[in-house]
Amino acid sequence: MSLAVTSGWVVNTLNSSFPGRHRSRFAVAGIHVDVWGDDPESVDLGPQLQPFLSDSDRDEDIELQVEWSRTIVPDRGREVFHSGCLWSAHEFGDGFRFDFTTGHLGRRPYKRLLVDRDFRHARVLLNRECLTAEDAGRALEYPLDELLITHHLSLGRGVELHGCGMVRNDGESFLFVGHSGAGKSTTARLWTEHVPVEVLSDDRIIIRPVESSAGRLFHMHGTPWHGEAAFASPGRAPLRRIFLLEHGTENRLERLSRSAAVGELLARSFTPFYQPRFVDPVLALLEEIVATLPCYRFQFVPDQSAVERILEFHD
């Protein structure tokens, strides 16, 4: 397929004749991704995404093609963000290009993600100069999978947070949001030691709105991108409240104002801050969330008493 760029997009970006002989599908937070390739290895989800394998027959939210390229040459598209490590984001027609580079594979990108403006159609190019056929399974390798989902979400479809989310056997849910080092994995371990819970994630939780007869509600979803405790579940649960997690000298709860809660949650979100078109919808969603759900700062000590403090708490 041609990589020629028009003023609008890539020629034949998703020509219906491409979707190859092999397909796999995964879903994160209700976002269904169809992956197409010419060989089984190209559509391999890998161990991280395997628990999120989906056999749903509903329409896909994102369609992704995996292809091999003889080489990948950095072009002159304007760089809009550099992660400081593996990936950089560039303008590409009216969409985006993400290049993935690492020193031990050379100076050229070892793979490239091309996406349209709405993050619904995507192509992954694998560089034959850097990778072999045995590396085909690296097409969806982190962080590409998370980048695709996070950008798709940020267009008004949800928000990903640094968070530890758990569901008790009776369906009651608990979400603890915190920066790296705030105690999310510690909290997950404490709860699993003392309470029968399913941990949806000990590091990254997605919140999405749900329309119901009772009005617009919010659910939290597990993700594949876990923390030190390695909890990652495709489960979900209705959200009743949010705790902002911090280390402390005692177990202390403090109700946050709506404005404070929005700022604290935004600072702990995986939002593509480099463009307002991603930030503005996330900010609007967070404002709706804190208007619906109470948010508390929870300073805790890392022992069983922290679990007991939350279990006995009532708004």
Side-chain angles (χ1 to χ4, degrees):
M1 295 174 65
S2 170
L3 287 181
V5 179
T6 69
S7 59
W9 178 227
V10 183
V11 175
N12 296 327
T13 299
L14 283 174
N15 189 309
S16 59
S17 66
F18 171 82
R21 297 182 297 274
H22 300 275
R23 169 185 176 261
S24 61
R25 168 176 278 207
F26 68 94
V28 177
I31 298 169
H32 287 74
V33 183
D34 277 3
V35 184
W36 294 91
D38 284 331
D39 52 70
E41 293 75 20
S42 295
V43 300
D44 180 14
L45 297 182
Q48 186 162 273
L49 288 175
Q50 193 63 37
F52 293 78
L53 180 71
S54 172
D55 58 3
S56 169
D57 60 359
R58 56 157 283 184
D59 291 343
E60 76 281 350
D61 298 289
I62 302 172
E63 188 169 32
L64 183 147
Q65 304 171 6
V66 179
E67 306 171 49
W68 283 95
S69 178
R70 183 181 58 81
T71 186
I72 298 178
V73 180
D75 61 35
R76 298 178 181 179
R78 186 174 77 88
E79 183 177 281
V80 293
F81 182 76
H82 198 289
S83 68
C85 50
L86 281 179
W87 63 273
S88 57
H90 308 254
E91 291 181 343
F92 184 70
D94 63 349
F96 295 88
R97 186 189 88 233
F98 296 84
D99 281 350
F100 299 80
T101 308
T102 179
H104 76 272
L105 289 177
R107 300 180 62 181
R108 292 188 173 185
Y110 65 91
K111 68 180 177 183
R112 171 172 286 171
L113 171 67
L114 305 175
V115 292
D116 66 356
R117 179 177 176 82
D118 294 325
F119 282 81
R120 290 190 176 276
H121 305 291
R123 299 171 64 194
V124 176
L125 306 179
L126 301 174
N127 189 349
R128 289 194 183 277
E129 289 185 333
C130 305
L131 304 174
T132 66
E134 289 72 28
D135 296 315
R138 299 184 66 172
L140 296 174
E141 185 182 48
Y142 176 86
L144 185 147
D145 54 351
E146 185 181 28
L147 285 172
L148 188 61
I149 296 294
T150 300
H151 282 76
H152 181 89
L153 279 172
S154 297
L155 294 172
R157 302 173 180 121
V159 60
E160 181 184 355
L161 299 173
H162 281 279
C164 168
M166 293 168 290
V167 188
R168 203 163 58 177
N169 287 352
D170 61 3
E172 185 172 7
S173 64
F174 306 87
L175 174 58
F176 301 90
V177 178
H179 289 302
S180 296
K184 297 185 297 296
S185 292
T186 298
T187 296
R189 293 189 187 101
L190 282 173
W191 279 72
T192 54
E193 289 171 5
H194 300 290
V195 182
V197 292
E198 177 188 10
V199 180
L200 302 182
S201 175
D202 64 317
D203 193 56
R204 302 179 192 195
I205 288 287
I206 288 172
I207 299 179
R208 300 196 69 191
V210 178
E211 300 295 341
S212 74
S213 58
R216 192 164 155 99
L217 307 176
F218 292 95
H219 282 192
M220 67 172 179
H221 302 254
T223 72
W225 314 296
H226 56 73
E228 294 178 4
F231 289 101
S233 165
R236 69 173 186 172
L239 199 55
R240 291 181 55 194
R241 62 177 73 89
I242 299 173
F243 298 102
L244 194 74
L245 196 62
E246 297 178 355
H247 289 289
T249 57
E250 61 179 344
N251 297 313
R252 182 172 179 270
L253 284 160
E254 172 194 0
R255 179 75 179 259
L256 295 174
S257 68
R258 290 183 183 180
S259 59
V262 169
E264 297 282 13
L265 292 176
L266 184 63
R268 291 159 178 79
S269 71
F270 289 85
T271 302
F273 289 103
Y274 58 84
Q275 283 200 352
R277 69 182 298 261
F278 300 115
V279 179
D280 292 345
V282 170
L283 189 58
L285 183 64
L286 290 176
E287 289 173 345
E288 183 182 357
I289 290 172
V290 302
T292 306
L293 304 172
C295 298
Y296 301 88
R297 190 184 308 279
F298 180 42
Q299 296 176 330
F300 80 107
V301 292
D303 60 29
Q304 183 177 351
S305 66
V307 179
E308 294 171 348
R309 180 70 180 94
I310 296 300
L311 289 176
E312 68 186 16
F313 175 72
H314 298 283
D315 296 303

